[in-house]
Amino acid sequence: MTVSNLTSLKVSEVHKNFGSETRCVEVLRGVSFEMIQGQRLALTGPSGSGKSTLLHLIGTLDTPSAGTIEINGENPFELSEPRLAKFRNRVIGFVFQDHHLLPQYSVLENVLIPTLAFKRRNGRDESRARTLIEGVGLSHRLSHRPAALSGGECQRVAVARALMNQPSLLLCDEPTGNLDRDTADTVISLLFELHKTEQNILIVVTHNLELAGRFERRFELVNGRVEGHMQQV
């Protein structure tokens, strides 16, 4: 398998429990769906419904209590920790509500950070980083540190960073939650544009139903279960 060429995602009867056997809280209760490369999906639902938990499981940041998650036909949770970390670094990109930029580094350096984890940085990386930064409209901010940027600019840097290793799966957890409406619209339009160019699988968790309506596929999580079916909108 070539981990950089993800073509499918399959979530099968996934459960997630927290706590002990005597005081167990079921957060996810048998979630199933499939996606193929180039598709995008909005996950909606009230707070506590399990949206972020599901995203973290798909992103291999946590493990299911039951059920399976397959990425390009492989269960990543069967990998050793070192191989899983490398898989995650190369295959999955993350954008969170808080941008999590490193304050001591410039825009360019922050975008390059994913290339440093396994010492795989090469001469092409800086060129790609500059291209991504230009794509998010911040080529004039290359040497600026996060403190000199607006919230929307920081989130655009986070999007560029998430795409640095050309991930096949891009996961976004409330990426516009801290932004005003106009800035949020700019960031989402940018995500869609880059998604179309990169042809990844894009999954966005959001409370914003107007934003969710811009996705061709969406479903709602309520009490850890999928309500209804995948919708074409």
Side-chain angles (χ1 to χ4, degrees), residues 9-16 28-35 54 57-58 64-71 75 77:
L9 169 68
K10 185 176 181 180
V11 179
S12 303
E13 288 296 318
V14 165
H15 294 251
K16 183 61 181 178
L28 296 176
R29 305 176 181 182
V31 173
S32 299
F33 67 92
E34 297 183 32
M35 295 183 71
L54 178 58
L57 294 176
I58 294 170
S65 300
T68 60
I69 295 173
E70 295 181 1
I71 298 174
N75 182 348
F77 300 106

Side-chain angles (χ1 to χ4, degrees), residues 22-38:
T22 56
R23 299 189 64 181
C24 179
V25 177
E26 294 181 285
V27 178
L28 296 176
R29 305 176 181 182
V31 173
S32 299
F33 67 92
E34 297 183 32
M35 295 183 71
I36 59 173
Q37 195 161 348

Side-chain angles (χ1 to χ4, degrees), residues 109-221:
E109 291 167 334
N110 266 284
V111 173
L112 282 167
I113 282 172
T115 69
L116 305 178
F118 296 95
K119 300 181 180 179
R120 57 165 293 274
R121 183 174 171 181
N122 56 52
R124 296 186 298 273
D125 288 333
E126 185 167 330
S127 176
R128 175 166 172 79
R130 289 177 178 270
T131 297
L132 286 168
I133 292 167
E134 181 179 0
V136 299
L138 293 174
S139 56
H140 61 298
R141 298 285 209 176
L142 278 173
S143 61
H144 287 69
R145 295 183 180 181
L149 307 178
S150 69
E153 287 174 331
C154 285
Q155 199 65 317
R156 283 188 274 162
V157 175
V159 170
R161 179 185 59 191
L163 291 170
M164 184 62 219
N165 283 346
Q166 294 182 283
S168 299
L169 180 58
L170 183 60
L171 306 177
C172 305
D173 194 356
E174 294 284 357
T176 62
N178 289 334
L179 305 177
D180 62 73
R181 179 169 181 169
D182 289 343
T183 304
D185 286 344
T186 298
V187 169
I188 287 299
S189 295
L190 174 66
L191 271 174
F192 285 0
E193 180 181 342
L194 292 173
H195 162 70
K196 184 177 180 180
T197 300
E198 300 281 327
Q199 279 297 293
N200 48 37
I201 291 175
L202 173 63
I203 302 178
V204 175
V205 163
T206 182
H207 284 99
N208 187 326
L209 296 183
E210 181 179 350
L211 166 59
R214 297 175 62 181
F215 285 71
E216 68 270 16
R217 307 186 78 185
R218 57 180 175 172
F219 69 75
E220 182 180 15
L221 277 173

Side-chain angles (χ1 to χ4, degrees), residues 21-122:
E21 291 185 5
T22 56
R23 299 189 64 181
C24 179
V25 177
E26 294 181 285
V27 178
L28 296 176
R29 305 176 181 182
V31 173
S32 299
F33 67 92
E34 297 183 32
M35 295 183 71
I36 59 173
Q37 195 161 348
Q39 292 183 328
R40 64 192 190 200
L41 165 70
L43 287 172
T44 66
S47 296
S49 61
K51 302 185 302 300
S52 294
T53 297
L54 178 58
L55 205 69
H56 289 177
L57 294 176
I58 294 170
T60 73
L61 296 175
D62 200 356
T63 56
S65 300
T68 60
I69 295 173
E70 295 181 1
I71 298 174
N72 206 27
E74 181 172 3
N75 182 348
F77 300 106
E78 294 178 346
L79 300 174
S80 65
E81 279 298 326
R83 290 182 63 203
L84 177 58
K86 188 173 184 179
F87 179 92
R88 185 187 302 121
N89 175 258
R90 295 182 61 193
V91 172
I92 304 169
F94 297 92
V95 181
F96 298 101
Q97 183 170 345
D98 296 314
H99 49 76
H100 298 304
L101 301 183
L102 297 181
Q104 68 271 37
Y105 294 119
S106 69
V107 166
L108 179 59
E109 291 167 334
N110 266 284
V111 173
L112 282 167
I113 282 172
T115 69
L116 305 178
F118 296 95
K119 300 181 180 179
R120 57 165 293 274
R121 183 174 171 181
N122 56 52

